[in-house]
Amino acid sequence: MRIVFMGTPDFAVPTLVEAIGQGHEVVAAYTRAPKPAGRGMAERRSPVHETAERFGIPVFTPRSLKDAAAQADFAALDADAAVVVAYGLILPQAVLDAPREGCFNLHASLLPRWRGAAPINRAIMAGDAETGVMVMRMEAGLDTGPVAMAERVRIGADETAGELHDRLSRLGADLMARALSALSRGALATAPQAETGVTYAAKIDKAETRIDWTRPAAAVHDHIRGLSPFPGAWCEMTLAGRSERVKVLRSTRAAGAGAPGDLLDDRLTVACGEGAVRLVELQRAGGKPMRAEDFLRGAAISEGAVLG
């Protein structure tokens, strides 16, 4: 089929590569426009942009699809279907209607749970035991369209958002490949989403990244791993006599009790409102991620300290 691919981050790249490998004609890739990044503030192209160019696929980077000219450019591609994976722009009805077979979105949750921008993070932060990926025929509402295919996965007890992201990215690529194969045969059926159980995965706000040790250990642990590796949950530690903000990238549930924030031993076990967690991987400002034992070798912190 003639496919227009629409996506931006690393999560979308395996699906693009799979569509190409499956033999579909990817006539264009739509992605977010390059933006300044890094110390030199040079314009950085998205992972999808880089991948599409390696395969010789024309790349479009409109800042909006709402104007008539952008919609005409899209329609002129004469696509059978559009594949959308974490694109980042709203698709107006004129764009949704342009491909002959419609637009199909790969979403990283078990819809209708966690519609919206950050489904992987929110599923872990909420302590969900499972999640998955779904292929959905798109409509005007936010992730409201009928579902064509789905795959469920268990979320590991200590699994981070980054690890789950990579698993779902690979699984989603395979799922979309199967959906496109069925679509090309005229055999792709869809079913409406359930009307109950709707939740929304709001974009992560930096204001919610600080660790609250007064919460139960399970919630603290889910908060830490749900924000790892980016933007990273953090707390304050007194190191070498001064307070520093330290990211906690990995933790595990642990035995112990005490006042919230108290350091209970020399292995970075920290008391929470109920129970305790042990910090496994940390990152000081400007430094690299470090295992707890390596962190302790260079940080003067001892049992009895209180983490802010």
Side-chain angles (χ1 to χ4, degrees):
M1 294 189 297
R2 287 176 61 86
I3 300 292
V4 173
F5 188 86
M6 310 179 83
T8 295
D10 287 324
F11 185 84
V13 169
T15 303
L16 171 57
V17 173
E18 189 68 26
I20 296 167
Q22 203 179 13
H24 297 292
E25 182 187 4
V26 181
V27 295
Y30 275 68
T31 189
R32 296 297 295 267
K35 56 183 180 180
R39 291 183 180 178
M41 298 301 286
E43 287 203 333
R44 181 177 297 172
R45 298 181 299 182
S46 76
V48 164
H49 194 146
E50 297 278 4
T51 304
E53 287 204 336
R54 285 202 300 272
F55 283 97
I57 297 169
V59 177
F60 292 78
T61 59
R63 299 191 181 277
S64 172
L65 292 170
K66 295 180 180 179
D67 62 275
Q71 293 172 10
D73 288 343
F74 185 85
L77 294 168
D78 191 33
D80 293 313
V83 172
V84 184
V85 188
Y87 176 36
L89 290 184
I90 294 173
L91 272 57
Q93 194 63 50
V95 172
L96 294 173
D97 292 341
R100 280 178 285 278
E101 301 291 343
C103 299
F104 295 86
N105 175 241
L106 177 68
H107 188 76
S109 81
L110 298 176
L111 294 167
R113 186 162 179 78
W114 303 127
R115 293 173 178 171
I120 296 173
N121 306 88
R122 295 297 178 185
I124 293 178
M125 293 169 74
D128 290 1
E130 68 172 2
T131 187
V133 284
M134 286 184 160
V135 172
M136 167 190 65
R137 182 185 292 274
M138 297 179 71
E139 56 184 31
L142 177 64
D143 298 329
T144 59
V147 172
M149 289 184 174
E151 285 282 357
R152 293 176 176 265
V153 297
R154 298 289 296 177
I155 301 176
D158 290 340
E159 189 168 20
T160 66
E163 291 165 341
L164 182 58
H165 167 283
D166 293 349
R167 277 210 296 151
L168 294 181
S169 178
R170 296 188 295 269
L171 184 64
D174 177 71
L175 188 69
M176 182 61 79
R178 286 187 276 140
L180 290 176
S181 179
L183 182 66
S184 68
R185 302 191 308 269
L188 187 67
T190 62
Q193 293 183 32
E195 296 182 2
T196 58
V198 176
T199 59
Y200 290 92
K203 185 178 179 180
I204 302 297
D205 191 305
K206 287 186 178 180
E208 62 183 309
T209 56
R210 184 169 187 162
I211 299 170
D212 180 0
W213 301 111
T214 67
R215 300 177 72 196
V220 171
H221 176 54
D222 293 340
H223 181 248
I224 290 169
R225 64 197 185 100
L227 294 176
S228 178
F230 182 83
W234 62 275
C235 66
E236 290 182 349
M237 297 183 183
T238 301
L239 304 173
R242 66 186 183 89
S243 181
E244 284 191 31
R245 179 182 292 198
V246 177
K247 285 186 179 182
V248 182
L249 301 177
R250 196 178 294 273
S251 61
T252 192
R253 298 282 298 278
D262 279 1
L263 195 61
L264 300 178
D265 57 23
D266 60 359
R267 300 182 65 210
L268 291 182
T269 300
V270 186
C272 301
E274 296 175 11
V277 298
R278 183 165 58 84
L279 311 186
V280 176
E281 186 176 1
L282 306 94
Q283 183 177 15
R284 297 175 74 169
K288 297 180 179 179
M290 304 175 71
R291 302 291 293 180
E293 52 269 28
D294 297 323
F295 176 86
L296 287 170
R297 280 198 272 280
I301 184 171
S302 58
E303 182 178 346
V306 178
L307 307 189

